[in-house]
Amino acid sequence: MTENRSTTVCVVGGGPAGAMAALLLARAGVEVTLLERHGDFLRDFRGDTVHPATLDVLDQLGLAEKLHARPHHKIGSMSMIRAGKRRELADFRRLKVKFPFITMIGQWDFLDFITGEAARYPNFRLLMNSSLHDVLWANGRVCGVRYRSGEEDHELRSDLVIAADGRRSVTRAAAGLHPRAMGVSIDVVLFRLSRRDDDPTEGITLRLDGGDILGLIDRGSYWQSFVEIPKGDGIRALRAAGIEAFRDTVARLAPFLADRVGELESIDALSFLDVRVDRLRRWHVPGMLVIGDAAHCMSPVGGVGVNLAVQDAVAAANALTAPLLRCRREGIPVPRSALAAVQRRRTPPTAAIQLLQRAALRVDLNGATAGTDTAAEDGAGLVGKLMGRLIAYGIRPERVREKRILAPAGGETER
Ligand SMILES: Cc1cc2nc3c(=O)[nH]c(=O)nc-3n(C[C@H](O)[C@H](O)[C@H](O)COP(=O)(O)OP(=O)(O)OC[C@H]3O[C@@H](n4cnc5c(N)ncnc54)[C@H](O)[C@@H]3O)c2cc1C
């Protein structure tokens, strides 16, 4: 064990929830240390969508224009193609808002941007290659973390721990919190195919045929693609059928891709996403708050996980900045009521979206597999109307309330 340190807030996990919470708190003058297990943010097949609600948050911070100076792609709609007929599931272009589109940007680039902004504050510290393996307790409160960096274990004492370490959160488990899983019927296979100039302009499209669903996201130079498979047996069935059968499925669903399905080398070269939907009953214990996927894992429907993670971060910073500053000034622990307030604010929108996602999954799969086309299309139309605004903004979008009180200068990063 080496060198013990202390901080006001230790945020565990440099994903969208943790990075945004760290930026907002640092900007409001709170001393923050962000721990990230990996040495960089480069992870393929993560949520690369930045929704209008998140763009609004960035705009409130004066950062939206700066983000858009990075390479990105704008998507104005989500649609579904079935039996050659296209239906809009959501048209963001019709929203009367400042950012009527989803910005597609590699999640690594987005996180690099957010942590880069946080690093302009001297009270922000980023510890990369630092993996939490336990929380510290004193008098029934979490009072810090134990983490491993390289070959060494460290302890970091803090007034508050924010657990934002994703769907398999070690931090929440270490604090004795376990999410309640909700049943979902699908898993997802992810892959890329090259995009050609004369390909159709698709935005985000679901292509349905004969019980199969292919999702295509136009990323400019390639198609970010996914195929839904039944949970449980789906992967085994895919392996048994082999890559040729999978290529045929993709080509049947999107005939314009038939000339390049050979880019899919083998079943092993595909990525699998174990789709989960779960939620914690309690998002906090004394001295610790859980946010983002660690508090509620979302299904891929609508691609809303990043946005919800960011919204949690804004709600947490809004509710906790004043108690944290007081805590440092007067030595009073952050009251549990402040942590409970974050959960109270974020549970209803999260639960409602999870409910709608599960309903949408039932509409798509039942309709498609059972061949009840009309039911599926009516359902998709109905859900789709609601989904337009919902996908862009969720329910109860958050506004940044805390003012910037520190001028940016330069924080610290250890790799
Ligand atoms: C394949 C895939 C595709 C997706 N597509 C979309 C999409 O298109 N749009 C969308 O909105 N959402 C999508 N999602 C969901 C989205 O990525 C998540 O909802 C979102 O990233 C959640 O953010 P988070 O910050 O809560 O957690 P995460 O993004 O999971 O971040 C957690 C961070 O914690 C770090 N960490 C984990 N354990 C530790 C530890 N012990 N110590 C220190 N650090 C740790 C991780 O390295 C990671 O950086 C997708 C998810 C997957 C898996």
Side-chain angles (χ1 to χ4, degrees), residues 12-19 35-38 40-41 43-51 104 107 111 130-133 147 164-171 190 217 224 272-273 291-300 302-310:
V12 185
L35 291 192
E36 169 52 45
R37 179 172 57 178
H38 292 96
D40 56 41
F41 296 113
R43 250 115 42 238
D44 208 354
F45 292 125
R46 299 275 299 266
D48 293 342
T49 52
V50 182
H51 283 54
M104 299 298 303
Q107 198 182 98
L111 295 175
S130 299
S131 184
L132 172 137
H133 56 83
Y147 67 96
D165 49 341
R167 60 197 338 240
R168 293 194 174 83
S169 172
V170 176
T171 318
L190 303 139
I217 306 176
Q224 189 177 333
F272 293 94
L273 171 62
I291 60 170
D293 270 17
H296 48 74
C297 198
M298 311 302 291
S299 94
V304 295
V306 170
N307 193 39
L308 278 170
V310 168

Side-chain angles (χ1 to χ4, degrees), residues 80-86 206 208 364 367-368 371-373 376-377:
M80 176 176 101
I81 297 177
R82 186 187 182 101
K85 239 169 61 187
R86 180 185 290 268
L206 292 182
L208 280 70
D364 277 349
T372 53
D373 286 12
E377 286 179 8

Side-chain angles (χ1 to χ4, degrees), residues 119-410:
R120 298 171 68 218
Y121 297 95
N123 47 322
F124 170 79
R125 199 158 45 124
L126 173 59
L127 304 180
M128 301 296 286
N129 285 312
S130 299
S131 184
L132 172 137
H133 56 83
D134 210 351
V135 293
L136 304 171
W137 295 88
N139 305 320
R141 292 181 64 83
V142 171
C143 64
V145 299
R146 189 167 286 130
Y147 67 96
R148 175 155 275 254
S149 181
E151 295 299 299
E152 291 180 348
D153 282 342
H154 304 262
E155 284 185 3
L156 177 65
R157 304 245 149 211
S158 64
D159 298 317
L160 179 71
V161 172
I162 296 184
D165 49 341
R167 60 197 338 240
R168 293 194 174 83
S169 172
V170 176
T171 318
R172 82 179 167 206
L177 297 174
H178 302 283
R180 191 170 55 90
M182 294 164 230
V184 272
S185 53
I186 61 156
D187 283 326
V188 167
V189 178
L190 303 139
F191 56 96
R192 283 178 182 207
L193 287 171
S194 57
R195 192 185 183 289
R196 310 221 167 123
D197 289 344
D198 53 351
D199 284 350
T201 309
E202 297 249 318
I204 298 177
T205 308
L206 292 182
R207 290 173 163 259
L208 280 70
D209 181 55
D212 293 313
I213 301 179
L214 166 71
L216 293 178
I217 306 176
D218 184 350
R219 299 301 301 268
S221 59
Y222 65 94
W223 292 105
Q224 189 177 333
S225 319
F226 61 89
V227 165
E228 291 187 6
I229 58 172
K231 204 163 195 59
D233 269 0
I235 293 175
R236 218 173 317 126
L238 208 65
R239 284 192 195 286
I243 190 66
E244 202 49 56
F246 186 73
R247 288 179 186 143
D248 288 348
T249 302
V250 174
R252 173 169 50 79
L253 287 156
F256 73 94
L257 294 175
D259 59 358
R260 70 207 85 157
V261 288
E263 292 171 15
L264 303 170
E265 284 173 11
S266 66
I267 296 287
D268 288 334
L270 308 171
S271 297
F272 293 94
L273 171 62
D274 167 24
V275 173
R276 294 180 178 196
V277 179
D278 64 30
R279 195 166 71 245
L280 284 177
R281 261 183 232 280
R282 194 155 46 86
W283 296 23
H284 53 91
V285 295
M288 185 178 124
L289 173 71
V290 188
I291 60 170
D293 270 17
H296 48 74
C297 198
M298 311 302 291
S299 94
V301 173
V304 295
V306 170
N307 193 39
L308 278 170
V310 168
Q311 300 291 312
D312 284 359
V314 177
N318 284 344
L320 297 174
T321 298
L324 283 163
L325 292 173
R326 200 172 323 120
C327 163
R328 261 294 130 130
R329 240 181 2 251
E330 300 168 16
I332 308 166
V334 177
R336 203 156 169 187
S337 57
L339 307 180
V342 179
Q343 168 169 6
R344 259 202 318 279
R345 176 140 188 107
R346 295 305 308 158
T347 295
T350 307
I353 297 285
Q354 285 180 325
L355 197 73
L356 286 169
Q357 285 188 321
R358 293 172 72 212
L361 279 178
R362 276 200 293 275
V363 168
D364 277 349
L365 279 182
N366 290 343
T369 49
T372 53
D373 286 12
T374 317
E377 286 179 8
D378 286 352
L382 195 68
V383 173
K385 266 194 181 162
L386 196 61
M387 290 291 262
R389 183 114 202 150
L390 274 181
I391 289 171
Y393 281 94
I395 296 168
R396 193 188 264 175
E398 304 289 341
R399 278 193 70 77
V400 177
R401 277 212 311 264
E402 290 305 328
K403 300 264 177 298
R404 189 182 79 193
I405 65 156
L406 277 187

